[in-house]
Amino acid sequence: MMNTTLYSSDLFLIEGGVKLRGKVRVSGAKNASLPIMFATLLTKEGSVIENVPHLLDVDSASELLKKLGARVERLEDRLLIDPEGVNSWETPDEIVKRMRASVLSMGPLLGRFGRARVALPGGCSIGARPIDQHLKFFVSAGADVQVKEGYVNVEIGKKRGVEFRFDLITVTGTENALLYLSTVEEKSVLENIAVEPEVMDLVEVLRKMGARIEVEGRRAVIWGSSELRGFVHRVIPDRIEAGTLMVAAVLTDGDVTLEGVELGHMEEVVEKLMEAGAKIEPIGREKVRVRRGGRPNPIEIVTREYPGFPTDMQAQMMALLSVTEGKSMIYESIFENRFQHAYELMKMGANIDVRGRSAFVYGVEKLRGAEVNSTDLRASASLVLAGLVAEGKTVIRDIYHLDRGYERLEEKLNSLGASIERLPQILS
Ligand code: EPZ
């Protein structure tokens, strides 16, 4: 049998035990960049998006925009998008499969062409993640929605304003609705919306394009326009990357200064880290110094929609709590299956008891290096954090999960003194 080797992804080889020290700049937010990239479809005019991170998900979104007929150029951290040539309203399955946020093309394509054909995103490892709320909104807005052969076909005749209340808080559901309603010249009202900083960054962009949007609590009133304009916008910092780097500093008993951070977007994360024993000292508007204040303390975390504790920081905190003296509890209220990382952390010696949506973490003295697998984006971040502090070597496979949402994470951590080697993963 010929010994074929397939490069399915990269792997990380981490030598644990280094205290991180130094300064690192936080990149732009992935989950703001993606909806804002799709907002460019709402007009024929060109747009410039600044502070866009180099991520696989951003590459996938760029590829989709080009498939739809737009021109996309990247210059350093800027994306120049010319959507004039967009002549398709179909988002193919092979892109949606790779990046479920492609469903955000539905609202803009329906707004621009009166129709959209988008492949249904399957479930993923953290949960079923249906899009029923997105479709329920489009139906209430007067669209004809048909699900056939794995695709959603949406069509609308005469656009009209709508009053719609989401049954549950959904980030991309809210964004899809805002993107579409920005093209509807009548007044619309959305109730029970998501208000994550990334959603509000999209609102800023839609206002720059000419939509009038007023947000009060979880209620938005929108007056759209049929003549939306191009925009220039600098994406907000990535609060989840910033939180991940903060955990790395505390976990390794380091002393790290983050630059280009927006602490106003991460109050709950800062509060929980301080409760766990971190020393977090703001320096001016966009800098913060992070150290550990003695051995971390056990804490309780319940993930919630913003402004609650973000589910996207849950896996990273579990790595920290794994080496914290005493029993901690994590309750994951957003996704039904977001504890995959617990089983990988256990291979490194963590003592975690997973019961449904609760995980009880019994802190251990030390983690030990092991061979572990990435299962999803934030789980892989959690394993990198554990590898930084584990005794000996840790191998983390399928690093493409990490590359979807973190810009050169190993370079940032190595600049702080970590020892992470990226190697091709050879499957034989
Ligand atoms: C966004 O996903 C983020 N992705 C996720 O970040 C994040 O974890 C999530 O919001 C929660 O904050 C992007 O912004 C691109 P939801 P989204 O719709 O919009 C259920 C990361 O790590 N639901 O707010 O898909 C759903 O199953 C990623 O960067 C329905 O039941 O999340 C989930 O349990 C992972 N029906 C909950 O609501 C719907 O129609 C929240 O989902 C929509 C959602």
Side-chain angles (χ1 to χ4, degrees):
M1 164 71 167
M2 197 176 82
N3 181 11
T4 56
T5 56
L6 297 168
Y7 287 96
S8 71
S9 162
D10 292 337
L11 60 79
F12 274 179
L13 176 59
I14 306 181
E15 182 69 53
V18 175
K19 295 187 177 199
L20 300 184
R21 288 214 181 319
K23 285 191 297 197
V24 65
R25 169 157 289 277
V26 173
S27 299
K30 163 175 93 81
N31 290 348
S33 301
L34 296 174
I36 290 169
M37 287 172 74
F38 289 115
T40 63
L41 294 168
L42 294 167
T43 173
K44 287 197 166 74
E45 295 180 8
S47 294
V48 179
I49 312 172
E50 300 169 341
N51 199 29
V52 179
H54 291 77
L55 303 173
L56 293 184
D57 275 6
V58 169
D59 297 346
S60 301
S62 298
E63 192 186 324
L64 174 53
L65 290 174
K66 288 175 187 166
K67 261 188 193 310
L68 293 169
R71 282 190 32 241
V72 181
E73 300 287 325
R74 180 183 266 275
L75 279 174
E76 302 283 316
D77 75 341
R78 277 174 300 156
L79 279 183
L80 287 73
I81 299 174
D82 172 5
E84 201 200 0
V86 172
N87 56 10
S88 160
W89 48 79
E90 175 155 334
T91 295
D93 174 58
E94 39 109 11
I95 296 246
V96 176
K97 222 179 22 241
R98 218 181 323 144
M99 187 190 65
R100 56 181 307 108
S102 313
V103 290
L104 286 169
S105 57
M106 200 180 291
L109 292 173
L110 185 69
R112 178 149 173 193
F113 295 109
R115 58 192 305 186
R117 179 170 147 73
V118 178
L120 268 175
C124 84
S125 70
I126 64 176
R129 301 182 75 179
I131 59 166
D132 57 294
Q133 293 296 311
H134 301 232
L135 305 186
K136 194 172 175 186
F137 160 75
F138 287 116
V139 168
S140 78
D144 175 48
V145 176
Q146 304 284 338
V147 176
K148 262 202 317 259
E149 293 138 29
Y151 274 75
V152 181
N153 299 282
V154 198
E155 279 195 54
I156 189 135
K158 184 173 173 348
K159 291 180 184 173
R160 56 178 169 75
V162 62
E163 304 228 342
F164 178 76
R165 178 181 178 76
F166 285 98
D167 300 328
L168 55 84
I169 295 168
T170 156
V171 172
T172 48
T174 300
E175 291 167 343
N176 240 334
L178 289 168
L179 286 159
Y180 168 69
L181 291 175
S182 293
T183 70
V184 179
E185 293 191 299
E186 295 178 10
K187 175 183 172 184
S188 294
V189 178
L190 292 176
E191 302 275 1
N192 203 24
I193 63 168
V195 289
E196 270 68 3
E198 296 76 25
V199 178
M200 300 317 291
D201 209 26
L202 172 66
V203 168
E204 268 316 295
V205 164
L206 296 173
R207 286 175 176 148
K208 287 182 179 178
M209 297 181 79
R212 183 177 150 204
I213 303 176
E214 290 168 8
V215 178
E216 178 120 356
R218 292 193 183 276
R219 184 174 192 267
V221 184
I222 305 106
W223 291 265
S225 159
S226 57
E227 300 295 320
L228 293 171
R229 297 184 299 277
F231 60 87
V232 178
H233 185 76
R234 181 174 180 76
V235 166
I236 55 172
D238 194 313
R239 63 193 167 99
I240 304 301
E241 186 201 32
T244 306
L245 293 167
M246 285 183 179
V247 171
V250 177
L251 195 50
T252 60
D253 193 8
D255 183 346
V256 174
T257 297
L258 302 187
E259 299 180 332
V261 67
E262 175 52 70
L263 285 179
H265 293 161
M266 43 195 311
E267 285 168 9
E268 188 62 17
V269 170
V270 168
E271 195 179 306
K272 278 295 169 185
L273 277 171
M274 290 174 78
E275 194 185 321
K279 280 177 76 172
I280 298 182
E281 301 156 285
I283 311 166
R285 244 192 62 72
E286 300 192 327
K287 275 192 208 173
V288 62
R289 182 180 181 191
V290 184
R291 286 175 288 171
R292 175 196 288 184
R295 190 173 156 92
N297 320 306
I299 57 173
E300 302 223 336
I301 292 176
V302 177
T303 63
R304 284 264 178 269
E305 299 87 357
Y306 193 85
F309 189 89
T311 172
D312 292 349
M313 275 299 299
Q314 180 257 104
Q316 299 89 310
M317 287 302 279
M318 189 181 280
L320 173 61
L321 298 176
S322 296
V323 289
T324 297
E325 202 163 342
K327 171 180 170 183
S328 297
M329 197 282 284
I330 297 177
Y331 186 81
E332 173 53 65
S333 55
I334 307 291
F335 289 108
E336 68 269 26
N337 186 36
R338 200 172 198 174
F339 285 139
Q340 308 279 313
H341 41 284
Y343 306 103
E344 298 302 313
L345 290 170
M346 288 181 215
K347 292 179 188 170
M348 300 174 74
N351 181 357
I352 304 165
D353 180 10
V354 174
R355 293 199 204 143
R357 286 186 178 239
S358 299
F360 299 94
V361 184
Y362 302 90
V364 295
E365 192 61 35
K366 273 268 173 210
L367 293 176
R368 290 182 313 282
E371 298 205 8
V372 289
N373 300 305
S374 308
T375 51
D376 61 83
L377 166 55
R378 304 303 171 183
S380 51
S382 164
L383 297 173
V384 171
L385 294 171
L388 291 176
V389 77
E391 229 164 40
K393 290 187 183 335
T394 298
V395 173
I396 306 176
R397 293 195 198 85
D398 294 339
I399 286 299
Y400 71 87
H401 285 289
L402 192 79
D403 293 335
R404 288 192 45 209
Y406 288 92
E407 181 175 39
R408 304 191 310 275
L409 186 62
E410 77 275 21
E411 288 178 22
K412 292 187 177 177
L413 293 173
N414 286 343
S415 75
L416 297 172
S419 155
I420 304 174
E421 208 181 337
R422 178 186 283 261
L423 298 165
Q425 179 172 298
I426 298 175
L427 292 178
S428 55

